[in-house]
Short mmCIF file of all heavy atoms in Angstrom, two decimals:
data_model
loop_
_atom_site.label_atom_id
_atom_site.label_comp_id
_atom_site.label_asym_id
_atom_site.label_seq_id
_atom_site.Cartn_x
_atom_site.Cartn_y
_atom_site.Cartn_z
N GLU A 331 156.89 -97.52 270.97
CA GLU A 331 155.88 -97.20 269.96
C GLU A 331 154.89 -96.15 270.47
O GLU A 331 154.44 -95.29 269.71
CB GLU A 331 155.16 -98.48 269.53
CG GLU A 331 156.10 -99.41 268.76
CD GLU A 331 155.41 -100.67 268.26
OE1 GLU A 331 154.20 -100.81 268.49
OE2 GLU A 331 156.09 -101.49 267.62
N ARG A 332 154.58 -96.21 271.76
CA ARG A 332 153.71 -95.18 272.33
C ARG A 332 154.41 -93.83 272.31
O ARG A 332 153.80 -92.79 272.04
CB ARG A 332 153.33 -95.56 273.77
CG ARG A 332 152.34 -94.59 274.41
CD ARG A 332 151.96 -95.07 275.80
NE ARG A 332 151.33 -96.39 275.75
CZ ARG A 332 151.07 -97.14 276.82
NH1 ARG A 332 151.40 -96.70 278.03
NH2 ARG A 332 150.49 -98.32 276.67
N ALA A 333 155.71 -93.83 272.60
CA ALA A 333 156.48 -92.58 272.57
C ALA A 333 156.50 -91.99 271.16
O ALA A 333 156.32 -90.77 270.98
CB ALA A 333 157.90 -92.84 273.05
N LEU A 334 156.71 -92.83 270.16
CA LEU A 334 156.74 -92.34 268.79
C LEU A 334 155.38 -91.83 268.35
O LEU A 334 155.29 -90.83 267.62
CB LEU A 334 157.22 -93.44 267.85
CG LEU A 334 158.68 -93.90 268.04
CD1 LEU A 334 159.02 -95.00 267.04
CD2 LEU A 334 159.65 -92.74 267.92
N ALA A 335 154.31 -92.47 268.80
CA ALA A 335 152.97 -91.98 268.48
C ALA A 335 152.73 -90.61 269.10
O ALA A 335 152.12 -89.73 268.48
CB ALA A 335 151.93 -92.98 268.97
N ALA A 336 153.22 -90.42 270.32
CA ALA A 336 153.07 -89.12 270.98
C ALA A 336 153.88 -88.04 270.26
O ALA A 336 153.44 -86.89 270.11
CB ALA A 336 153.50 -89.22 272.44
N TYR A 337 155.08 -88.42 269.81
CA TYR A 337 155.90 -87.49 269.03
C TYR A 337 155.18 -87.08 267.75
O TYR A 337 155.11 -85.89 267.40
CB TYR A 337 157.24 -88.15 268.69
CG TYR A 337 158.02 -87.45 267.60
CD1 TYR A 337 158.59 -86.21 267.82
CD2 TYR A 337 158.18 -88.05 266.34
CE1 TYR A 337 159.30 -85.56 266.81
CE2 TYR A 337 158.89 -87.40 265.34
CZ TYR A 337 159.45 -86.17 265.57
OH TYR A 337 160.15 -85.53 264.58
N ASN A 338 154.62 -88.04 267.05
CA ASN A 338 153.88 -87.75 265.83
C ASN A 338 152.70 -86.82 266.10
O ASN A 338 152.47 -85.86 265.36
CB ASN A 338 153.39 -89.05 265.19
CG ASN A 338 152.71 -88.82 263.86
OD1 ASN A 338 153.35 -88.69 262.84
ND2 ASN A 338 151.37 -88.77 263.87
N ALA A 339 151.97 -87.09 267.17
CA ALA A 339 150.79 -86.28 267.49
C ALA A 339 151.18 -84.83 267.79
O ALA A 339 150.42 -83.90 267.48
CB ALA A 339 150.06 -86.88 268.68
N GLU A 340 152.35 -84.62 268.36
CA GLU A 340 152.78 -83.26 268.68
C GLU A 340 153.38 -82.54 267.48
O GLU A 340 153.00 -81.40 267.18
CB GLU A 340 153.82 -83.29 269.81
CG GLU A 340 154.38 -81.90 270.13
CD GLU A 340 155.50 -81.92 271.15
OE1 GLU A 340 155.63 -82.92 271.89
OE2 GLU A 340 156.25 -80.92 271.21
N ARG A 341 154.30 -83.18 266.78
CA ARG A 341 155.11 -82.46 265.81
C ARG A 341 154.57 -82.46 264.38
O ARG A 341 154.86 -81.53 263.62
CB ARG A 341 156.54 -83.03 265.80
CG ARG A 341 157.29 -82.84 267.10
CD ARG A 341 157.41 -81.39 267.54
NE ARG A 341 158.13 -80.58 266.59
CZ ARG A 341 158.39 -79.29 266.76
NH1 ARG A 341 157.94 -78.65 267.85
NH2 ARG A 341 159.06 -78.61 265.85
N GLN A 342 153.77 -83.47 264.01
CA GLN A 342 153.24 -83.44 262.64
C GLN A 342 152.36 -82.21 262.39
O GLN A 342 152.52 -81.53 261.38
CB GLN A 342 152.49 -84.74 262.35
CG GLN A 342 152.11 -84.93 260.88
CD GLN A 342 150.73 -84.34 260.55
OE1 GLN A 342 149.95 -84.03 261.46
NE2 GLN A 342 150.44 -84.22 259.27
N PRO A 343 151.45 -81.86 263.31
CA PRO A 343 150.66 -80.64 263.08
C PRO A 343 151.51 -79.37 263.08
O PRO A 343 151.23 -78.43 262.32
CB PRO A 343 149.66 -80.64 264.25
CG PRO A 343 149.60 -82.05 264.71
CD PRO A 343 150.97 -82.60 264.50
N ILE A 344 152.55 -79.32 263.90
CA ILE A 344 153.42 -78.14 263.91
C ILE A 344 154.15 -78.01 262.58
O ILE A 344 154.29 -76.91 262.03
CB ILE A 344 154.40 -78.21 265.09
CG1 ILE A 344 153.64 -78.06 266.42
CG2 ILE A 344 155.49 -77.14 264.98
CD1 ILE A 344 154.50 -78.25 267.66
N GLY A 345 154.62 -79.13 262.05
CA GLY A 345 155.24 -79.08 260.73
C GLY A 345 154.30 -78.55 259.68
O GLY A 345 154.68 -77.74 258.82
N ASN A 346 153.05 -78.98 259.70
CA ASN A 346 152.05 -78.48 258.76
C ASN A 346 151.88 -76.97 258.90
O ASN A 346 151.76 -76.24 257.90
CB ASN A 346 150.71 -79.17 258.99
CG ASN A 346 150.70 -80.60 258.47
OD1 ASN A 346 151.66 -81.07 257.89
ND2 ASN A 346 149.58 -81.29 258.70
N THR A 347 151.85 -76.49 260.14
CA THR A 347 151.68 -75.06 260.38
C THR A 347 152.84 -74.26 259.82
O THR A 347 152.66 -73.20 259.20
CB THR A 347 151.55 -74.79 261.89
OG1 THR A 347 150.37 -75.44 262.38
CG2 THR A 347 151.46 -73.31 262.19
N ILE A 348 154.06 -74.74 260.02
CA ILE A 348 155.24 -74.04 259.52
C ILE A 348 155.21 -73.98 257.99
O ILE A 348 155.49 -72.94 257.39
CB ILE A 348 156.52 -74.72 260.03
CG1 ILE A 348 156.61 -74.59 261.56
CG2 ILE A 348 157.76 -74.11 259.38
CD1 ILE A 348 157.68 -75.46 262.19
N VAL A 349 154.85 -75.09 257.35
CA VAL A 349 154.74 -75.10 255.89
C VAL A 349 153.66 -74.13 255.41
O VAL A 349 153.86 -73.38 254.45
CB VAL A 349 154.47 -76.52 255.38
CG1 VAL A 349 154.15 -76.51 253.88
CG2 VAL A 349 155.67 -77.43 255.65
N THR A 350 152.52 -74.13 256.09
CA THR A 350 151.44 -73.21 255.73
C THR A 350 151.88 -71.77 255.84
O THR A 350 151.58 -70.94 254.95
CB THR A 350 150.21 -73.45 256.64
OG1 THR A 350 149.71 -74.77 256.41
CG2 THR A 350 149.11 -72.44 256.36
N HIS A 351 152.62 -71.44 256.90
CA HIS A 351 153.08 -70.07 257.07
C HIS A 351 154.07 -69.70 255.96
O HIS A 351 154.01 -68.58 255.42
CB HIS A 351 153.75 -69.91 258.44
CG HIS A 351 154.04 -68.48 258.79
ND1 HIS A 351 153.05 -67.57 259.09
CD2 HIS A 351 155.22 -67.80 258.87
CE1 HIS A 351 153.59 -66.39 259.36
NE2 HIS A 351 154.91 -66.50 259.23
N GLY A 352 154.95 -70.62 255.60
CA GLY A 352 155.87 -70.34 254.50
C GLY A 352 155.14 -70.07 253.20
O GLY A 352 155.53 -69.19 252.42
N ARG A 353 154.08 -70.81 252.95
CA ARG A 353 153.29 -70.59 251.73
C ARG A 353 152.60 -69.22 251.77
O ARG A 353 152.49 -68.54 250.74
CB ARG A 353 152.27 -71.70 251.56
CG ARG A 353 152.91 -73.04 251.20
CD ARG A 353 151.91 -74.19 251.25
NE ARG A 353 152.55 -75.45 250.84
CZ ARG A 353 152.00 -76.64 250.95
NH1 ARG A 353 150.76 -76.75 251.45
NH2 ARG A 353 152.65 -77.72 250.58
N ARG A 354 152.14 -68.82 252.94
CA ARG A 354 151.53 -67.49 253.06
C ARG A 354 152.54 -66.40 252.71
O ARG A 354 152.23 -65.46 251.98
CB ARG A 354 151.00 -67.27 254.48
CG ARG A 354 149.86 -68.19 254.90
CD ARG A 354 149.39 -67.84 256.30
NE ARG A 354 148.65 -66.58 256.31
CZ ARG A 354 148.38 -65.88 257.42
NH1 ARG A 354 148.83 -66.31 258.60
NH2 ARG A 354 147.70 -64.76 257.35
N LEU A 355 153.75 -66.52 253.24
CA LEU A 355 154.76 -65.51 252.96
C LEU A 355 155.18 -65.55 251.49
O LEU A 355 155.50 -64.51 250.90
CB LEU A 355 155.97 -65.73 253.85
CG LEU A 355 155.73 -65.63 255.36
CD1 LEU A 355 157.04 -65.71 256.13
CD2 LEU A 355 154.98 -64.35 255.73
N GLY A 356 155.14 -66.72 250.89
CA GLY A 356 155.51 -66.84 249.48
C GLY A 356 154.52 -66.20 248.53
O GLY A 356 154.86 -65.96 247.36
N THR A 357 153.32 -65.88 249.00
CA THR A 357 152.35 -65.21 248.12
C THR A 357 152.84 -63.85 247.65
O THR A 357 152.35 -63.32 246.65
CB THR A 357 150.98 -65.05 248.80
OG1 THR A 357 151.13 -64.21 249.98
CG2 THR A 357 150.37 -66.38 249.20
N HIS A 358 153.80 -63.27 248.36
CA HIS A 358 154.37 -61.99 247.93
C HIS A 358 154.82 -62.04 246.47
O HIS A 358 154.70 -61.06 245.73
CB HIS A 358 155.56 -61.62 248.82
CG HIS A 358 156.35 -60.45 248.29
ND1 HIS A 358 157.52 -60.61 247.58
CD2 HIS A 358 156.12 -59.12 248.35
CE1 HIS A 358 157.98 -59.42 247.23
NE2 HIS A 358 157.15 -58.51 247.68
N LEU A 359 155.31 -63.21 246.03
CA LEU A 359 155.86 -63.35 244.69
C LEU A 359 154.79 -63.55 243.63
O LEU A 359 155.09 -63.60 242.44
CB LEU A 359 156.86 -64.50 244.67
CG LEU A 359 158.12 -64.22 245.49
CD1 LEU A 359 158.82 -65.49 245.89
CD2 LEU A 359 159.06 -63.30 244.72
N GLY A 360 153.53 -63.68 244.03
CA GLY A 360 152.43 -63.72 243.07
C GLY A 360 152.28 -65.00 242.29
O GLY A 360 151.65 -65.01 241.23
N VAL A 361 152.84 -66.09 242.80
CA VAL A 361 152.82 -67.36 242.08
C VAL A 361 151.72 -68.26 242.61
O VAL A 361 151.58 -68.43 243.83
CB VAL A 361 154.18 -68.08 242.22
CG1 VAL A 361 154.14 -69.44 241.54
CG2 VAL A 361 155.29 -67.22 241.63
N ASN A 362 150.93 -68.82 241.71
CA ASN A 362 149.94 -69.84 242.07
C ASN A 362 149.00 -69.38 243.17
O ASN A 362 148.74 -70.10 244.15
CB ASN A 362 150.66 -71.14 242.48
CG ASN A 362 149.74 -72.34 242.47
OD1 ASN A 362 148.76 -72.38 241.73
ND2 ASN A 362 150.06 -73.33 243.28
N LEU A 363 148.45 -68.21 243.03
CA LEU A 363 147.49 -67.70 244.01
C LEU A 363 146.13 -68.34 243.71
O LEU A 363 145.54 -68.08 242.67
CB LEU A 363 147.40 -66.18 243.93
CG LEU A 363 148.71 -65.41 244.08
CD1 LEU A 363 148.47 -63.91 243.95
CD2 LEU A 363 149.40 -65.74 245.40
N GLN A 364 145.63 -69.17 244.62
CA GLN A 364 144.44 -69.96 244.33
C GLN A 364 143.22 -69.54 245.14
O GLN A 364 142.09 -69.64 244.65
CB GLN A 364 144.74 -71.44 244.58
CG GLN A 364 145.80 -72.01 243.67
CD GLN A 364 146.04 -73.49 243.91
OE1 GLN A 364 145.59 -74.04 244.91
NE2 GLN A 364 146.75 -74.12 243.00
N THR A 365 143.41 -69.10 246.36
CA THR A 365 142.29 -68.81 247.24
C THR A 365 142.18 -67.32 247.52
O THR A 365 143.10 -66.55 247.24
CB THR A 365 142.45 -69.56 248.58
OG1 THR A 365 143.58 -69.00 249.30
CG2 THR A 365 142.68 -71.06 248.35
#
Side-chain angles (χ1 to χ4, degrees):
E331 292 182 1
R332 184 177 300 170
L334 294 180
Y337 165 70
N338 184 82
E340 176 185 341
R341 296 303 298 182
Q342 190 270 346
I344 291 174
N346 285 357
T347 297
I348 295 168
V349 171
T350 296
H351 190 70
R353 290 171 178 170
R354 295 182 72 196
L355 299 186
T357 61
H358 169 261
L359 292 158
V361 177
N362 197 27
L363 305 179
Q364 297 182 347
T365 68

